[in-house]
C-alpha cells in the first residue's frame, strides 16, 4: 500500500523555454524568453512568458498572489529559476486598518497595482502556479458585468499608504512587452492578458488557500496517473485509496473526498457536452477544439496523433452548439439536467471503459469516450436550455488552459479514435465508464489549476471529516471509479465542480445562500446532487450526511456558546467608577514620573546599545533576511525597554516609509506555564489562531520554512530566554533555527540575565544557531542613574542635587538596577511628604529623607529583629553561640543547646523554662529564619544552625544589654 | 465554695440574674477580642507602619499607582491585623469603596500557581468564571489573566489589591511565575495593582529570583514589637478591661477596678513577666488570658490572681510530663536504664538489648520491689515507649534489623525524667535511687 504512495510522489517540472537571450556577465545570469511548466511524466506543458499576469503560490492567503511577470532569468547552471514581477494586491492583502481608505466597497475581483517597496519583486519561478487575466479599468468607468468571473480588474494602485488612481501607462505597456509566444500558435489571444472574457476561468474560485505540500502531492499524483495506462490506473488508484484509508485518518478523508469529487468532473464533462449539443447556441470552434485538445494533452503524443480525426468530428457538432456563457438559466431544467446526463453517459460511456480495459495500453481510450460522449450527447439529448448556464463559469478556466497547452496536436485525428471506440461501446459497465470519464478532465488541467484545485480539495477534505464513516461503505465501489488519488483533485474538475454545485445549489436547494466557493461544505452537497444516476442516490444521502455532520465542525471551530472555552471572552478588569485622581502637588507629580511604569520620552544612557540593536534589526528588515541576537544583562538595566524603544523607532520609520513594514511579536518565558507554550503564543500573535503546542509548532515550522513572496519580516522578542530551556532544548533550537531558513524573514532578539547562558545551558547545535551576535548591558553607573532620574523628573524640581547623587551612588555601588533607584526616590518623596504636617507645604526631598529611604530598603532587619526578640529568645541565641563555641562546630542539636540555655538562664537569674517552652522559642526563631532548623518531628534531636553571623548576634545582643 | 455562698446570700434574686447577663456579656466581649474575631479600633504599637501602609494603598486606590510591599514580622506580631485594619479604613473612604478589588490568597491554600490563578480569576469575577468554577487550562488561565491586566490602564481600570498571605510559600512555586507576573504588572503601565505580601521570614527577599526581586519595589514594613514590660502590662490591662459602652456602669466600674488591682498584684506581675520574657506576641498572651477568663462565672464574677496563675501553669506545662506520669513502672524503669546508657555513652544510640541488660543488672543488684519480667513483656513495654515517641528509631529501614537490635534514641531530657520521677505516684524508692545514682 505504501508503495503506491511513494510512487505517487512526483514533482512539477519547470523548464526554460527558448534560448537565453540576455547574458549578464556581472551577475552571471541569463534571461529567458519563456518558461514551460509541466508535471513530471506528463506531456501537458504550460508556457508562461514575460508580460503575462501570473498567479504565484502563497502560503497563508485565501488566494494566490497575483503579479505581472516582467522577466525570467537564471544562473549558468540553469538550476535556479528566478523571475522579476510586478506585484498586484488583493484587498485582503491590504492591512486591515488601511482598508477603509478605499472609501467604497471593493469589487470582488478587484486588485491593486502595488507601488510599495516592502515586497521583494524577485520570486522563485517555481512558485508560479499559472496565468491569470488582468484588465485595467479606467478610473471613472464602472467595473464590467459580474458575469465574467475569471478576470481580475485593476483600477487603483496601492503604495502602502493610500490608494491612488493607476496610471494607465503602467498597465498599457504590458501587451507590448509580451514577447512572441511560439508555443501558442493556434490561439494566441486566449493566453494574452487581453484575451476575451470567454477564456477566463473562474480564477477566483480556483485559488483558495494554496497549500504547497498538498499541491506538491497533488501534482505528483496526477503525474503517476498520467503515466499509467488507463485500465491499470483506476485499479491502482483504487488500491492506493484503500491503503490510504488504512494509513491515516486524514488520508481517508482525502480518499473519500476524492471519490466524491472525482465523479463531478465526469458530470461536468457531460454537461459541457450537452451544452455543446444544445442547438442554436454559438460555440466557437476554437472552444470546442480547446476542450478536445485539452483532453488529449494528457495522453501520450502518439495517441494524440491518432486522435486527429475525432476532433473534426466533435467540431462539427461544436460549431452549432451554444457556448455555455450565453445560456439562459431555467431553474427547472437545471435540475433535471445532470440526471439525464448521467444516464446517458452511463449508457454511452460504458463501451469506452470496456475498450480501455481491453486495450489497456494507453490513455487514448480514456480520452476518446469523452469525445464520444460529446457526440452522443449532442445527438441524443434534448438539452434543457437551463443546463447551459451551469457550465458557464466552469468552462472558462479549462479552456484557457487548453489553449495554453495546445501545441502540435492536430484536432482532425480525434475523430478516428472516437469512431474506433464507439464500436465496442455496447458493453454496459456503467461504473467502469464513470471511472474513466472523470479522470480525463482531471488529468488534462494545467498545473496552475490543479494547484488551486488541490487547495479547494484540501479544504473540502477537512470539512468532510465526518463524512467518512458514511462514505466508507460506498467508497469501495466508488473508489474504483474515481481515479484521482487523494491529494490531487485537478483544478479544472474542481472548479467545475464547485461551479456546478453552486449553481445547482442555488436553484435546487434554495435554503442556502450562494456563497462563492468559500464554503466547501456546500460544494459537497452540490456535488452529490449533480451526479450520475446511481451515484446520485448514493451521493445524495452522503451529501446530506455530509451537510449535517461535516458542516458543523467547520463552521463552529470553537464552541463559543459553551462556557468551557473562555478563549473568546474579552478579558478585562472592571473599570473604576471614580476616575483616578491626578497628582496634586509637586511631590506627587515627581512620584508619578518616577514610577517604573511611566514611559519616558527617551531612554538616556543606552544610546550605544540602542544604536547597535537598531542597526541590527533595521538591516535585517531592509534585507528581508533573518538573524538572532542575544542580549544579556542583570535585571533593571533596560534591556527590554531598549528593545521596545528600538521597535518604536522602527515602527515610526516604517510608517514614514523609510523601511519595509515589519511585525513585532513579544513573548516572555516567565509569562507562560511551559516552554512549549511559546509556540502557541507566537502563533496566536502572528495569526490569531489558537491551537495546541504541537500543532502550533508544526504550523510555525511550515510558515517559516516555506516561501511566501509577500511575507513581511517578523521581529520576535524572546524575553527571559532561560525559561524556555527544556531537556531536549527543542524550543530554543526551533527559535534559533527558523531565522536561518531562507524564507523565514525572522529576526529573533533574545534576552536573559546571564552573559554565558548560551555556553552554560545550551547544547552545541543550539548555541551555534544562536550565533555570536551578542550584547551585554552593563549595570548603570552612578552618573547614568543620576541622568535617568533627572530625565524622568524632567524639570520637576523635587529633589536636591546631593540627594539624587546619594541615591544613584548607593544604587550603583550595590546593583546598578535602575528600578531600585527609582523606587528609592519614590520612597524618599513619601518620607518627605510625611515629615511635614501639611503635604502641600513639603519642600524638596533632602538628604535625610533619602538616607531614611535607603536605610529602609537596604538595612538588614536581622539585627533589629534580634533586638526586638523576647528575653528567652535572645537567651537561646546566646546558648546556641555558646554551644557552637563548645563544640567547635556551626551546628548543634536542640538538646545540646537547651542544656546551655538552662545554664545561662540560671546565670541570668531567670526561672528555667520547660523543654516544650524551649522548643517553642526555638521554633519561633526558626520561623523568622534567625535559626535554621531541621524538621520539627525530630523533636529534641533536631539540629540548629544560625542564619546570621555570630558577630551580628553578639553585636545585637550586646547593644541590648548595654 | 464558701465565698460563693456568701455572695448568694447577699444578693437579691434580680441582681443575680442581671449578674449572669453581665458576665455572659463580658465573656462575649473578651472572647471576641482574644480570638481575634473583632479588629481593634487602632492597632497598638505600630502607628508608623499603619500610616505607611494606609498611605500606600490609598495611593493605589485613588491615584491608580501600582505598588508592591511586604509586611514582615514574627508570628503573632499582628501583620494580618494591621492589614485588615488598613483595609477597613481604606474601604471607609467614599470614593475608594467601590473602586478596589481585593484578592486574598494564602500560600497555604494556593499551593501552586495553577490553583492561585484560578482563585484570582474567581475572585476577580472575570469572564471565564461561571458560578464558582474557573474554566480553561493553566496556560489559558495565565494568558487570560495577563491579558485582562494588560488591557487595563492606570486611570480607568479598577485597582486590584493582591494580598498574599504566607508570601514566602509563593516563592517556592515553580519559576515563581505568579510573583513575576504580579510584580511585573506592578512595574508596568497596566492595570493598577498593589501586591501586598505577608510573611514571617526575615530573609524572604533572598527567596526571590533576581529578576523577580528586581521587580519588587523593596518596600518592607517590619512589625517587630519593641514593647517594654510596662507597656505590655498596660496592654494586658486594656485587653481585659471592658469597653466604655458597656450597658451597666456599675458593673463596668467594678470589673475594671478588679482588673486594675489584678494587674498590680505581684504574683500576677511575675506570671506576666515570665510570659513577656518568653514571648512578646499577643497571641500567646491572649491564650493565657483566655484560660483565665474561662474560669470566670456568675458566681465568681472577676478574674483573680489564682486564675491567672493556674492558667499560666497550664500554658507552661511540659507536654511530655503528662505522658511520663501515665507510664507503668516497667516502662519508667526502661527509661531510667536508657538515661544511664545515655550518660555512659554520651548520647550515642542504644538498642533494646542494651536497655534490657541494664535493666537486668538493676534487678539483680538493687531491686527489691520489682519482679523479674519476661523478655517479651519488656519488649512490649519498649514498643509502647516507641509508640509514645518517647524513643525514636535511628534507622530508616526498620524491616531489616531485628527489633531487639534497632538503634534508638531517647527523646527526653534528664530534667524531664527526674521531674517525672518526683511526681510519679507511689514510685518505689529503689527505682528513684537508681535513677539518681550516677552510673547504673
Amino acid at each position: 500500500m505504501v508503495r503506491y504512495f511513494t510512487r505517487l510522489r512526483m514533482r512539477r517540472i519547470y523548464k526554460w523555454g527558448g534560448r537565453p537571450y540576455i547574458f549578464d556577465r556581472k551577475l552571471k545570469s541569463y534571461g529567458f524568453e519563456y518558461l514551460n511548466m509541466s508535471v513530471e511524466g506528463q506531456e501537458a506543458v504550460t508556457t508562461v512568458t514575460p508580460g503575462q499576469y501570473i498567479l504565484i503560490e502563497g502560503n497563508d492567503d485565501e488566494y494566490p498572489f497575483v503579479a505581472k511577470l516582467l522577466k525570467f532569468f537564471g544562473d549558468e547552471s540553469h538550476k535556479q529559476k528566478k523571475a522579476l514581477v510586478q506585484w498586484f494586491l488583493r484587498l485582503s492583502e491590504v492591512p486591515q486598518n488601511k482598508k477603509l481608505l478605499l472609501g467604497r466597497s471593493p469589487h470582488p475581483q478587484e486588485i491593486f497595482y502595488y507601488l510599495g517597496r516592502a515586497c521583494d519583486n524577485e520570486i522563485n519561478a517555481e512558485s508560479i502556479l499559472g496565468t491569470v487575466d488582468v484588465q485595467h479599468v479606467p478610473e471613472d468607468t464602472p467595473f464590467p458585468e459580474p458575469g465574467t468571473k475569471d478576470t481580475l480588474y485593476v483600477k487603483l494602485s496601492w503604495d502602502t499608504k493610500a490608494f491612488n488612481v493607476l496610471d494607465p501607462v503602467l498597465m498599457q505597456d504590458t501587451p507590448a512587452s509580451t514577447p512572441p509566444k511560439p508555443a501558442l500558435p493556434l490561439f494566441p489571444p486566449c493566453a494574452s492578458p487581453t484575451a476575451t472574457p470567454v477564456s477566463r476561468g473562474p480564477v477566483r474560485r480556483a485559488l483558495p488557500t494554496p497549500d504547497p505540500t498538498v499541491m506538491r502531492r497533488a501534482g505528483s499524483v496526477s503525474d503517476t496517473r498520467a503515466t499509467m495506462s488507463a485500465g491499470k490506473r483506476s485499479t491502482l488508484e483504487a488500491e492506493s485509496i484503500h491503503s490510504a484509508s488504512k494509513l491515516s485518518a486524514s488520508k481517508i478523508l482525502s480518499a473519500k473526498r476524492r471519490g466524491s469529487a472525482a465523479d463531478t468532473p465526469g458530470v461536468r464533462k457531460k454537461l459541457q457536452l450537452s451544452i455543446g449539443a444544445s442547438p442554436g447556441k454559438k460555440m466557437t470552434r476554437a472552444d470546442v477544439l480547446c476542450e478536445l485538445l485539452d483532453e488529449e494533452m494528457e495522453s501520450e503524443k502518439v495517441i494524440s496523433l491518432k486522435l486527429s480525426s475525432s476532433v473534426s468530428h466533435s467540431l462539427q457538432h461544436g460549431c452549432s452548439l451554444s457556448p455555455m456563457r450565453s445560456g439562459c438559466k431555467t431553474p427547472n431544467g437545471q435540475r433535471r439536467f445532470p440526471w439525464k446526463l448521467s444516464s446517458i453517459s452511463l449508457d454511452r460511456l460504458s463501451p469506452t471503459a470496456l475498450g480501455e480495459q481491453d486495450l489497456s495500453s494507453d490513455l487514448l481510450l480514456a480520452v476518446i469516450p469523452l469525445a464520444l460522449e460529446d457526440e452522443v450527447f449532442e445527438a441524443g439529448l434534448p438539452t434543457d436550455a437551463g443546463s447551459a448556464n451551469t457550465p458557464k463559469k466552469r468552462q472558462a478556466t479549462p479552456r484557457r488552459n487548453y489553449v495554453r497547452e495546445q501545441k502540435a496536436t492536430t484536432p482532425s485525428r480525434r475523430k478516428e479514435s472516437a469512431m474506433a471506440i464507439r464500436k465496442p461501446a455496447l458493453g454496459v459497465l456503467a461504473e467502469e465508464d464513470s471511472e474513466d470519464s472523470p479522470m480525463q478532465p482531471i488529468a488534462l488541467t494545467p498545473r496552475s489549476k490543479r494547484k488551486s484545485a488541490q487547495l479547494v480539495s484540501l479544504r473540502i477534505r477537512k470539512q468532510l471529516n465526518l463524512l467518512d464513516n458514511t462514505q466508507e461503505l460506498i467508497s469501495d465501489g466508488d473508489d474504483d471509479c474515481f481515479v484521482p488519488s487523494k491529494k490531487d483533485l485537478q483544478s479544472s474538475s474542481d472548479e467545475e465542480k464547485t461551479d456546478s454545485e453552486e449553481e445547482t445549489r442555488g436553484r435546487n436547494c434554495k435554503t442556502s445562500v450562494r456563497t462563492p466557493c468559500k464554503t466547501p461544505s456546500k460544494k459537497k452537497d452540490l456535488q452529490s446532487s449533480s451526479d450520475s444516476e446511481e451515484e446520485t442516490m448514493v451521493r445524495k444521502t452522503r451529501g446530506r450526511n455530509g451537510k449535517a455532520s461535516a458542516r458543523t465542525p467547520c463552521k463552529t471551530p470553537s464552541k463559543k456558546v459553551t462556557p468551557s472555552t473562555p478563549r473568546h471572552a474579552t478579558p478585562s478588569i472592571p473599570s473604576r467608577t471614580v476616575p483616578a485622581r491626578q497628582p496634586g502637588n509637586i511631590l506627587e507629580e515627581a512620584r508619578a514620573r518616577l514610577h517604573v511604569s511611566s514611559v519616558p520620552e527617551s531612554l538616556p544612557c543606552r544610546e550605544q546599545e540602542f544604536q547597535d540593536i537598531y542597526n541590527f534589526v533595521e538591516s535585517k528588515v531592509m534585507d528581508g533576511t533573518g538573524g538572532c541576537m542575544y542580549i544579556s544583562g542583570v535585571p533593571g538595566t533596560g534591556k527590554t525597554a531598549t528593545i521596545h524603544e528600538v521597535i518604536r523607532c522602527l515602527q515610526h520609520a516604517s510608517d514614514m516609509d523609510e523601511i519595509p513594514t515589519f511585525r513585532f511579536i513579544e513573548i516572555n518565558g516567565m509569562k507562560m506555564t511551559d516552554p512549549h507554550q511559546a509556540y502557541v503564543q507566537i502563533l496566536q500573535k502572528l495569526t490569531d489562531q489558537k491551537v495546541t503546542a504541537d500543532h502550533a509548532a508544526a504550523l510555525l515550522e511550515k510558515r517559516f520554512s516555506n516561501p511566501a513572496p509577500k511575507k513581511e519580516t517578523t521581529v520576535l522578542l524572546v524575553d527571559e530566554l532561560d525559561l524556555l530551556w527544556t531537556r531536549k532544548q527543542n524550543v530554543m533550537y526551533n527559535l534559533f533555527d527558523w531565522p536561518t531558513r531562507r524564507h523565514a524573514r525572522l529576526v529573533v532578539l533574545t534576552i536573559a540575565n546571564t552573559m554565558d547562558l548560551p555556553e552554560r545551558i545550551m547544547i552545541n547545535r543550539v548555541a551555534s544557531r544562536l550565533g555570536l551576535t551578542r550584547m551585554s548591558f552593563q549595570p548603570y553607573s552612578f552618573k547614568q542613574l543620576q541622568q535617568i532620574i533627572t530625565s524622568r523628573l524632567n524639570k520637576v524640581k523635587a529633589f536636591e542635587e546631593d540627594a539624587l547623587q546619594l541615591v544613584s551612588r548607593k544604587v550603583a555601588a550595590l546593583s546598578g538596577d535602575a528600578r531600585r533607584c527609582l523606587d528609592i526616590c519614590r520612597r524618599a518623596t513619601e518620607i518627605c511628604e510625611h515629615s511635614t504636617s501639611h503635604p502641600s507645604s513639603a519642600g524638596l526631598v533632602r538628604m535625610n529623607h533619602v538616607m531614611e529611604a535607603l536605610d529602609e530598603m537596604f538595612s538588614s532587619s536581622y539585627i533589629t529583629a534580634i533586638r526586638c526578640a523576647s528575653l528567652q529568645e535572645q537567651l537561646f541565641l546566646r546558648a546556641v553561640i555558646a554551644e557552637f563555641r563548645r563544640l567547635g562546630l556551626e551546628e548543634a542539636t536542640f538538646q545540646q543547646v537547651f542544656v546551655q540555655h538552662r545554664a545561662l538562664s540560671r546565670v541570668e537569674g531567670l526561672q528555667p523554662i520547660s523543654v516544650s517552652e524551649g522548643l517553642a522559642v526555638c521554633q519561633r526563631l526558626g520561623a523568622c529564619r534567625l535559626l535554621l532548623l531541621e524538621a520539627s518531628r525530630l523533636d529534641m534531636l533536631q539540629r540548629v544552625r544560625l542564619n546570621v553571623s555570630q558577630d551580628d548576634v553578639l553585636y545585637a545582643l550586646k547593644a541590648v544589654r548595654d | 465554695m464558701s465565698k460563693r455562698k456568701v455572695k448568694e446570700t447577699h444578693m437579691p434574686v434580680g441582681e443575680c440574674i442581671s449578674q449572669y447577663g453581665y458576665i455572659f456579656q463580658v465573656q462575649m466581649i473578651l472572647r471576641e477580642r482574644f480570638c481575634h474575631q473583632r479588629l481593634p479600633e487602632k492597632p497598638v504599637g505600630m502607628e508608623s507602619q499603619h500610616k505607611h501602609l494606609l498611605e500606600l494603598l490609598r495611593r493605589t486606590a485613588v491615584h491608580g499607582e501600582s505598588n508592591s510591599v511586604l509586611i514582615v514580622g514574627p508570628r503573632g506580631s499582628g501583620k494580618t491585623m494591621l492589614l485588615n485594619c488598613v483595609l477597613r479604613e481604606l474601604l471607609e473612604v467614599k470614593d475608594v469603596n467601590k473602586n478596589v478589588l481585593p484578592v486574598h490568597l494564602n500560600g497555604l491554600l494556593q499551593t501552586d500557581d495553577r490553583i492561585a490563578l484560578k482563585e484570582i480569576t474567581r475572585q476577580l469575577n472575570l469572564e471565564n468564571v461561571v458560578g464558582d468554577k474557573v474554566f480553561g487550562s493553566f496556560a489559558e488561565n495565565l494568558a487570560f489573566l495577563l491579558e485582562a491586566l494588560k488591557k487595563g490602564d492606570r486611570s480607568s481600570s479598577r485597582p486590584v489589591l493582591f494580598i498574599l498571605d504566607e508570601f514566602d510559600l509563593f516563592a517556592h512555586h515553580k519559576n515563581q511565575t505568579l510573583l513575576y507576573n504580579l510584580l511585573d504588572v506592578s512595574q508596568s503601565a497596566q492595570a493598577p495593582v498593589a501586591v501586598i505580601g505577608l510573611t514571617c521570614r526575615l530573609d524572604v527577599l533572598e527567596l526571590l529570583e533576581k529578576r523577580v526581586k528586581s521587580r519588587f519595589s523593596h518596600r518592607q514594613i517590619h512589625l517587630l514589637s519593641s514593647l517594654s514590660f510596662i507597656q505590655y502590662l498596660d496592654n494586658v490591662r486594656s485587653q481585659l478591661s471592658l469597653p466604655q459602652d458597656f450597658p451597666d456602669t456599675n458593673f463596668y466600674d467594678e470589673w475594671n477596678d478588679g482588673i486594675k488591682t489584678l494587674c498590680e498584684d505581684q504574683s500576677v506581675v511575675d506570671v506576666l513577666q515570665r510570659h513577656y520574657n518568653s514571648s512578646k506576641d499577643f497571641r500567646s498572651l491572649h491564650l493565657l488570658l483566655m484560660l483565665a477568663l474561662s474560669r470566670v462565672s456568675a458566681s465568681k464574677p472577676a478574674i483573680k490572681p489564682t486564675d491567672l496563675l493556674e492558667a499560666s501553669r497550664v500554658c507552661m506545662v511540659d507536654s511530655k510530663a503528662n505522658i511520663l506520669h501515665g507510664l507503668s513502672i516497667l516502662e519508667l524503669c526502661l527509661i531510667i536504664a536508657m538515661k544511664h546508657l545515655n550518660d555512659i555513652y554520651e548520647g550515642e544510640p542504644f538498642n533494646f538489648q542494651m536497655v534490657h541488660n541494664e535493666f537486668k543488672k538493676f534487678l539483680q543488684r538493687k531491686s527489691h520491689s520489682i519482679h523479674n519480667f519476661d523478655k517479651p513483656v519488656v519488649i512490649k513495654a519498649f514498643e509502647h515507649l516507641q509508640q509514645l515517641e518517647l524513643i525514636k528509631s535511628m534507622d530508616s529501614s526498620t524491616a531489616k534489623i531485628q527489633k531487639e537490635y534497632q538503634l534508638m534514641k531517647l527523646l527526653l531530657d534528664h530534667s524531664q525524667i527526674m521531674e517525672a520521677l518526683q511526681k510519679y505516684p507511689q514510685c518505689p524508692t529503689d527505682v528513684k535511687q537508681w535513677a539518681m545514682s550516677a552510673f547504673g
Side-chain angles (χ1 to χ4, degrees), chain A residues 500-514 526:
Chain A
S500 65
E501 280 163 10
E502 274 166 36
E503 297 220 341
T504 39
R505 189 142 231 244
R507 308 278 142 100
N508 300 346
C509 1
K510 298 199 169 157
T511 49
S512 67
V513 184
R514 229 179 105 174
L526 295 172

Side-chain angles (χ1 to χ4, degrees), chain A residues 576 819-820 830 917 939, chain B residues 59 61 214 216 278 316 320:
Chain A
R576 53 193 301 154
R819 289 196 189 106
R820 196 72 324 98
E830 283 167 29
E917 274 180 287
D939 204 56
Chain B
R59 278 206 309 276
S214 167
F216 172 59
S278 169
M316 297 287 187
K320 280 176 185 156

Side-chain angles (χ1 to χ4, degrees), chain A residues 563-567 569-584 588 591-592 595-599 635-636 640 666 668-675 677 681 685 690 719-723 753-754 817 819-820 823-824 826-827 830 833-834 856-859 861-862 864-865 867-873 895 898-899 902 910-917 921 924 927-930 932 937-941 947, chain B residues 51-52 55-56 58-67 74-75 95 98-99 101 124 126-128 130 135-136 138-140 142-144 146-151 154-160 174-177 180-181 184 186-192 200-203 206 209-220 222 224-226 274 276-281 315-320 392 394 409-413 415-416:
Chain A
S564 61
T565 52
R567 53 185 66 159
T570 50
S572 65
I573 300 288
S575 58
R576 53 193 301 154
T577 49
V578 182
R581 200 182 295 164
Q582 292 307 309
E588 283 179 4
R591 202 152 50 221
H595 199 283
V596 184
S597 69
S598 72
V599 182
T640 312
E666 184 182 6
N668 188 325
M670 270 296 210
K671 296 187 177 174
M672 53 189 70
T673 52
D674 173 88
Q677 288 291 320
Q681 295 202 359
K685 284 168 182 166
K690 204 155 187 195
D719 218 338
E720 314 291 0
L721 177 70
D722 48 333
L723 267 296
N753 290 136
T754 45
D817 186 337
R819 289 196 189 106
R820 196 72 324 98
D823 281 334
I824 292 170
R826 229 149 51 84
R827 178 66 188 137
E830 283 167 29
E833 204 172 70
H834 294 165
E856 234 175 63
M857 292 202 175
F858 287 116
S859 71
S861 50
Y862 285 117
T864 345
R867 282 182 191 165
C868 293
S870 70
L871 199 58
Q872 293 290 356
E873 285 161 4
Q895 201 167 12
F898 191 66
V899 173
R902 192 168 308 150
L910 294 169
Q911 224 177 334
I913 54 170
S914 67
V915 179
S916 297
E917 274 180 287
V921 166
R924 275 201 294 272
C928 295
R929 286 301 190 277
L930 286 169
L932 296 176
R937 69 187 158 78
L938 289 172
D939 204 56
M940 298 183 66
L941 301 176
N947 197 24
Chain B
K51 194 179 169 193
H52 183 179
E55 196 52 32
L56 195 78
R58 199 183 55 76
R59 278 206 309 276
T60 303
V62 175
H63 294 280
E65 178 187 306
S66 294
N67 275 311
R75 297 225 179 270
D95 46 343
K98 288 272 166 57
N99 266 335
L101 300 162
L124 283 178
L126 293 177
E127 284 85 346
N128 57 344
V130 175
F135 292 96
F138 182 27
E140 276 172 352
L142 179 64
F144 190 82
L146 291 179
E147 181 78 359
L149 291 171
K150 208 172 178 180
K151 281 267 173 65
R154 186 175 152 266
S155 52
S156 67
S157 43
R158 272 197 226 182
V160 186
K174 190 189 163 220
N175 289 345
Q176 305 187 343
T177 310
Y180 178 93
N181 285 310
D184 193 53
S186 84
Q187 297 259 329
S188 49
Q190 302 180 2
C200 64
R201 284 185 67 162
L202 297 169
D203 63 344
E206 287 155 38
E209 250 191 283
K210 54 184 187 297
R211 53 187 150 218
V212 180
K213 195 176 171 184
S214 167
R215 282 166 172 78
F216 172 59
S217 72
H218 279 63
R219 280 163 202 271
Q220 293 186 66
H222 286 282
L224 299 165
S225 74
S226 50
R274 203 179 133 87
Y276 173 78
N277 284 345
S278 169
S279 104
K280 288 181 188 175
D281 71 59
C315 277
M316 297 287 187
V317 76
D318 186 42
S319 57
K320 280 176 185 156
K392 189 173 167 61
M394 299 306 291
K409 269 198 166 184
L410 184 62
L411 293 183
L412 286 170
D413 195 53
S415 60
Q416 285 173 297

Side-chain angles (χ1 to χ4, degrees), chain A residues 511-714:
Chain A
T511 49
S512 67
V513 184
R514 229 179 105 174
T515 46
C517 116
K518 296 221 170 176
T519 54
S521 62
K522 281 181 195 165
K523 289 175 202 162
K524 185 76 205 175
D525 304 343
L526 295 172
Q527 216 174 300
S528 63
S529 67
S530 65
D531 245 316
S532 61
E533 249 181 339
E534 310 115 30
E535 279 161 13
T536 347
M537 304 307 287
V538 182
R539 288 285 156 72
K540 265 189 178 172
T541 53
R542 214 191 282 163
R544 296 253 161 84
N545 295 341
K547 209 189 291 175
S549 53
R551 212 181 265 179
T552 26
C554 70
K555 297 240 163 151
T556 56
S558 53
K559 311 106 203 167
K560 293 177 190 173
V561 200
T562 56
S564 61
T565 52
R567 53 185 66 159
H568 293 288
T570 50
S572 65
I573 300 288
S575 58
R576 53 193 301 154
T577 49
V578 182
R581 200 182 295 164
Q582 292 307 309
N585 57 35
I586 216 162
L587 282 178
E588 283 179 4
E589 172 77 26
R591 202 152 50 221
R593 284 169 175 278
L594 287 174
H595 199 283
V596 184
S597 69
S598 72
V599 182
E601 292 84 21
S602 69
L603 279 182
C605 311
R606 286 294 180 217
E607 288 82 10
Q608 187 54 47
E609 287 84 353
F610 174 87
Q611 204 53 50
D612 289 351
I613 300 173
Y614 186 92
N615 290 344
F616 177 80
V617 180
E618 190 195 31
S619 66
K620 301 290 180 200
V621 171
M622 294 274 252
D623 301 348
T625 53
C628 293
M629 186 175 206
Y630 176 72
I631 297 163
S632 64
V634 295
T637 47
K639 302 178 294 295
T640 312
T642 306
I643 291 184
H644 279 145
E645 183 76 7
V646 166
I647 297 299
R648 255 200 309 279
C649 289
L650 285 170
Q651 293 280 18
H652 183 71
S654 90
D655 285 346
M656 304 303 290
D657 209 16
E658 285 155 13
I659 58 165
T661 54
F662 66 96
R663 195 150 180 190
F664 177 61
I665 293 174
E666 184 182 6
I667 60 168
N668 188 325
M670 270 296 210
K671 296 187 177 174
M672 53 189 70
T673 52
D674 173 88
H676 296 279
Q677 288 291 320
Y679 298 129
V680 179
Q681 295 202 359
I682 294 173
L683 189 74
Q684 195 184 0
K685 284 168 182 166
L686 268 177
T687 63
D688 227 19
Q689 287 172 277
K690 204 155 187 195
V691 295
T692 62
D694 289 343
H695 191 199
L699 287 177
L700 286 173
E701 174 77 26
K702 207 172 82 188
R703 184 187 174 93
F704 287 124
S705 51
N706 289 332
K710 282 190 194 167
K711 196 189 278 177
E712 54 188 6
T713 304
T714 309

